[in-house]
Amino acid sequence: MGIKINSLLIHGGIDGDTATGAVNVPVYQTSTYKQDGLGQNRGWEYSRTGNPTRAAAEKLVADLERGTYGLAFASGLAAISTVLSLFKEGDKLVVSDNIYGGTFRILDNVFDHFGITYTIVDTSDPAKVEAAIDDDVKAVYVESPANPLLTVTDIREVADIAHRNGKILIVDNTFLTPYLQRPLTLGADIVIHSGTKYLGGHSDVISGFVVLNDKELSERLYYLQNAIGGVLAPWDSYLVIRGIKTLGVRMDRHVENAGRIAEWLVQSGYVDRVYYPGLTSDPGYEVQKKQADGAGAMISFVLKKAYDHRKFFERLKIITLAESLGGVESLVCHPASMTHAAIPAEVRKKVGIVDELIRLSVGIEDVEDLIDDLKQAIESSAKEE
Ligand SMILES: *Cc1c(COP(=O)(O)O)cnc(C)c1O
């Protein structure tokens, strides 16, 4: 469809229900479908293989990513594990050095058992990606901005490097959503989402998506989706569709609030370091500006030694200490012990995920209230001399 993004959020995919005229796609809460005769069905056979509500969510996310084929999964990790199942013994991946902890966990402790290995690279430096590619490498896997240090990778440049060497590029676009960044249009081959985050947007559903353009690869992924079976349930598909309708208005507020908070943190005198690619001082600023329509709403920072980061978490009143991100409410987490605990301590330290690092998912509350909350929590966590 040739319409703009905010219209696409509401009318993309399968808009409404042709059978009844219902404005919303109904929740087809069914596991199976009546067959009219042997080998005669109406396009639906069994809900692991296909379900109309899930199909609507899949088509919607595909449209938003400007892709052809979409697949919905029971979680982001179900999406990731299905994509990783494309590879076989002896295959190797080149992976960004700071990505979602669960992705490292599944590589280290699950796909490792099948002889699939990986090397960690700072993908913000394309030369390092090029240097890491050898015959065994089959794909480059990046997040941009990456979790939790918001490192920005030049997607177009890394896609070119991958393609020149006959490899594919996989991008986890969870942090920005297609509202802000569309990796397929920058040359990526496969886009992955945890729909649990901004797409759902209300911290009430776990989901995952994969979008791509290549027909052959999509047929293999559909096969794997059905064979492995980690599909998104009808009700959860509906919740994600419902969340996506307001993605644009939510993201605008998320990004505006995050920009205000990042600037406040920098000049506050409370922090040693702020990671946010929307700051002109951030090393990823130029690339971020070139390839995305905004810097997102994830900020990481390191408090000055004068403050006790453990106490800080307890003193917050509005901002909630919790895993996850991308919901309307602001959440804060401690990557070293929470989201990235699965990464060995020495690797964490090497890539900069220090013990004092704090990750903030900026919600859509009034930004003054969020800044007041941060201020009182930091001040009341000052270490006693
Ligand atoms: C949360 C997250 C995942 C995993 O998704 P789940 O829905 O929790 O399984 C993958 N990638 C990123 C960037 C995430 O934030």
Side-chain angles (χ1 to χ4, degrees):
M1 243 189 305
I3 56 177
K4 292 202 179 76
I5 187 83
N6 282 292
S7 307
L8 206 51
L9 292 169
I10 293 158
H11 299 290
I14 296 161
D15 191 12
D17 182 47
T18 46
T20 62
V23 168
N24 286 300
V25 175
V27 180
Y28 283 93
Q29 193 71 46
T30 187
S31 61
T32 190
Y33 308 80
K34 180 177 186 285
Q35 306 203 0
D36 298 320
L38 282 181
Q40 280 175 274
N41 61 55
R42 301 176 209 178
W44 309 98
E45 286 175 89
Y46 186 62
S47 279
R48 169 160 35 73
T49 318
N51 174 281
T53 317
R54 190 174 93 225
E58 291 175 328
K59 185 74 175 70
L60 176 58
V61 177
D63 280 355
L64 297 177
E65 284 288 359
R66 302 293 193 267
T68 313
Y69 308 100
L71 300 99
F73 295 89
S75 68
L77 271 166
I80 291 166
S81 65
T82 304
V83 168
L84 292 177
S85 301
L86 289 167
F87 303 105
K88 57 181 195 327
E89 189 176 4
D91 288 351
K92 199 160 98 184
L93 303 171
V94 171
V95 175
S96 295
D97 65 1
N98 68 108
I99 59 170
Y100 182 66
T103 307
F104 277 125
R105 182 174 53 208
I106 202 171
L107 284 166
D108 281 337
N109 299 324
V110 181
F111 283 90
D112 175 60
H113 298 174
F114 304 117
I116 295 159
T117 58
Y118 70 95
T119 42
I120 296 174
V121 164
D122 173 7
T123 55
S124 70
D125 181 353
K128 290 190 177 149
V129 176
E130 181 105 57
I133 290 180
D134 61 27
D135 285 349
D136 292 337
V137 169
K138 293 294 178 299
V140 180
Y141 187 110
V142 308
E143 281 177 27
S144 184
N147 188 355
L149 296 174
L150 291 317
T151 321
V152 176
T153 291
D154 189 323
I155 296 173
R156 193 181 291 282
E157 210 164 318
V158 171
D160 286 348
I161 290 168
H163 295 158
R164 248 191 282 120
N165 290 280
K167 322 296 181 189
I168 61 167
L169 173 64
I170 303 167
V171 177
D172 181 334
N173 199 30
T174 300
F175 270 28
L176 290 187
T177 83
Y179 184 72
L180 298 177
Q181 175 172 274
R182 292 156 298 278
L184 294 177
T185 68
L186 299 166
D189 300 282
I190 297 178
V191 171
I192 295 179
H193 279 282
S194 168
T196 310
K197 316 296 166 56
Y198 293 101
L199 294 180
H202 297 75
S203 306
D204 56 5
V205 60
I206 301 280
S207 65
F209 291 87
V210 171
V211 181
L212 69 167
N213 282 319
D214 186 83
K215 187 160 186 289
E216 219 171 289
L217 210 48
S218 80
E219 280 164 5
R220 180 68 187 153
L221 279 168
Y222 274 117
Y223 182 88
L224 290 170
Q225 181 192 38
N226 182 52
I228 297 171
V231 295
L232 189 61
W235 177 252
D236 291 353
S237 300
Y238 165 76
L239 282 176
V240 178
I241 293 169
R242 179 176 159 124
I244 286 174
K245 288 181 200 289
T246 56
L247 181 66
V249 288
R250 283 188 285 112
M251 288 314 283
D252 286 347
R253 173 71 75 85
H254 277 298
V255 173
E256 189 189 317
N257 281 0
R260 291 269 303 275
I261 289 174
E263 271 163 28
W264 174 79
L265 278 170
V266 167
Q267 58 75 51
S268 70
Y270 298 135
V271 297
D272 275 336
R273 180 88 202 249
V274 179
Y275 299 89
Y276 181 63
L279 292 169
T280 51
S281 57
D282 191 273
Y285 178 79
E286 289 301 331
V287 174
Q288 178 68 20
K289 206 171 138 194
K290 181 181 73 173
Q291 70 186 7
D293 299 328
M298 296 301 298
I299 301 173
S300 288
F301 59 95
V302 179
L303 283 179
K304 285 217 158 97
K305 292 260 179 292
Y307 305 98
D308 180 341
H309 69 279
R310 292 182 175 273
K311 221 182 252 174
F312 162 79
F313 288 113
E314 291 162 19
R315 298 290 155 89
L316 288 164
K317 295 191 170 113
I318 296 176
I319 302 169
T320 306
L321 175 62
E323 304 258 1
S324 201
L325 60 106
V328 290
E329 63 286 300
S330 294
L331 299 179
V332 71
C333 95
H334 179 235
S337 71
M338 295 167 71
T339 50
H340 291 71
I343 301 173
E346 67 278 6
V347 178
R348 278 204 308 266
K349 203 167 164 203
K350 203 177 115 202
V351 304
I353 306 171
V354 296
D355 225 36
E356 294 77 21
L357 189 76
I358 293 165
R359 191 191 77 180
L360 180 62
S361 169
V362 179
I364 64 170
E365 299 96 335
D366 284 297
V367 70
E368 295 80 6
D369 290 332
L370 298 177
I371 289 173
D372 284 350
D373 196 27
L374 288 168
K375 190 166 188 293
Q376 67 79 21
I378 296 170
E379 283 181 351
S380 67
S381 66
K383 288 178 187 162
E384 279 151 38
E385 291 311 319

